[in-house]
Amino acid sequence: MIGRLETGKGMTSERTRQRMVERLRQAGIQDEAVLKAMAAIPRHSFVDEAIASRAYEDTALPIGHGQTISAPYIVARMIELLRLAKKTPEKVLEVGTGCGYQAAVLSKLFKEVYSVERIGQLLEKTRSRVWTMRIHNLRLMHTDGSYGLVDAAPFDGIIVAAAPESIPDALLEQLSIGGRLVIPVGGKKQQLIVVDRDEQGFTQQIIEAVKFVPLREGSVQ
Ligand code: SAH
């Protein structure tokens, strides 16, 4: 019995997290600050206990309400891309808080983080989790992120954790000059897109194929 308990604990230990970081490195993540932040945030604390032992596999996992926690690789990749913006981002918006894992990683790396979620019940759970973890530079809002967050705009970085069919104008408008948007776009076939804003306008790069839950526009619940 004791052996079993220890195994259970081992599955969520710092060493397990370190192994996840090694796999991210092998998968091509190079930004040491991102790897360090992901080594520090206990991913298992963001999922239900029943699946906590799977928290460090490189896979998306269910978090209720038909939503998922994004796989570690894509979280690392998107944040790494965000940090490569022309203007080093200080104020960042995340669209699609979900369980709050990516928001917690962002809060280790950026001065001011805003994250919006459209499902109220999910957000309430995340709010208490974040409160327990004493993350003070993260603000969570219950709103439709396809309109961005006008009151706090502009943002040096915007990172979107759900895929719209096309990039919402509001997110482009709320980028600061030198700012960068990292967003999955598409329906069945999705691409990860990076948009940079400078004085002349916007430039876009396609990064790689991805798979996200859809960005639902026009309503909160
Ligand atoms: N950031 C999370 C991933 C959550 S999955 C992580 O760290 O793993 C994406 C989330 O986007 C879901 O919780 C979903 O409810 C939310 N979402 C979808 N459409 C949205 C919208 N228009 N505004 C805000 N959140 C939205």
Side-chain angles (χ1 to χ4, degrees):
M1 191 61 191
I2 288 170
R4 254 223 213 138
L5 273 175
E6 279 176 2
T7 314
K9 197 172 161 215
M11 298 299 278
T12 56
S13 71
E14 213 177 309
R15 259 181 58 208
T16 316
R17 200 144 63 234
Q18 204 53 53
R19 279 200 292 273
M20 173 188 81
V21 165
E22 278 318 310
R23 283 198 307 273
L24 292 175
R25 219 189 282 277
Q26 281 159 22
I29 304 301
Q30 293 179 358
D31 187 330
E32 288 299 325
V34 173
L35 293 170
K36 194 172 162 206
M38 290 184 66
I41 303 287
R43 192 168 189 265
H44 64 274
S45 306
F46 292 82
V47 296
D48 282 346
E49 232 169 284
I51 55 170
S53 65
R54 299 191 57 203
Y56 297 100
E57 294 173 16
D58 196 34
T59 175
L61 294 168
I63 55 170
H65 304 273
Q67 305 303 321
T68 52
I69 177 171
S70 304
Y73 169 77
I74 199 66
V75 171
R77 184 79 180 113
M78 288 175 82
I79 302 178
E80 180 172 70
L81 287 163
L82 196 67
R83 275 170 47 89
L84 291 170
K86 276 235 174 62
K87 176 183 177 198
T88 307
E90 288 196 350
K91 189 159 87 174
V92 167
L93 171 67
E94 177 192 38
V95 175
T97 317
C99 62
Y101 173 68
Q102 178 164 270
V105 177
L106 289 168
S107 72
K108 284 248 167 219
L109 294 163
F110 303 100
K111 205 165 150 202
E112 228 182 313
V113 180
Y114 293 81
S115 182
V116 299
E117 169 59 52
R118 65 176 281 277
I119 302 177
Q121 282 177 359
L122 200 54
L123 191 66
E124 283 323 305
K125 229 169 131 185
T126 299
R127 234 186 247 291
S128 58
R129 184 178 290 132
V130 163
W131 170 254
T132 328
M133 292 181 177
R134 297 174 191 280
I135 303 174
H136 298 303
N137 59 336
L138 171 62
R139 287 196 205 138
L140 301 177
M141 317 271 181
H142 181 211
T143 185
D144 180 349
S146 46
Y147 301 106
L149 191 61
V150 178
D151 293 349
F155 300 97
D156 308 319
I158 301 180
I159 190 163
V160 185
E165 292 281 347
S166 62
I167 300 176
D169 286 343
L171 299 184
L172 296 172
E173 283 158 15
Q174 291 174 29
L175 267 188
S176 57
I177 304 292
R180 175 172 270 203
L181 167 66
V182 183
I183 184 168
V185 179
K188 273 211 176 93
K189 274 198 165 171
Q190 300 171 2
Q191 305 270 21
L192 184 62
I193 308 252
V194 163
V195 183
D196 287 299
R197 182 175 204 175
D198 62 20
E199 288 82 357
Q200 277 75 49
F202 299 94
T203 39
Q204 186 172 309
Q205 296 172 58
I206 296 174
I207 306 297
E208 60 197 49
V210 286
K211 186 149 182 39
F212 278 82
V213 295
L215 184 81
R216 303 228 178 265
E217 292 179 38
S219 67
V220 292
Q221 69 180 54

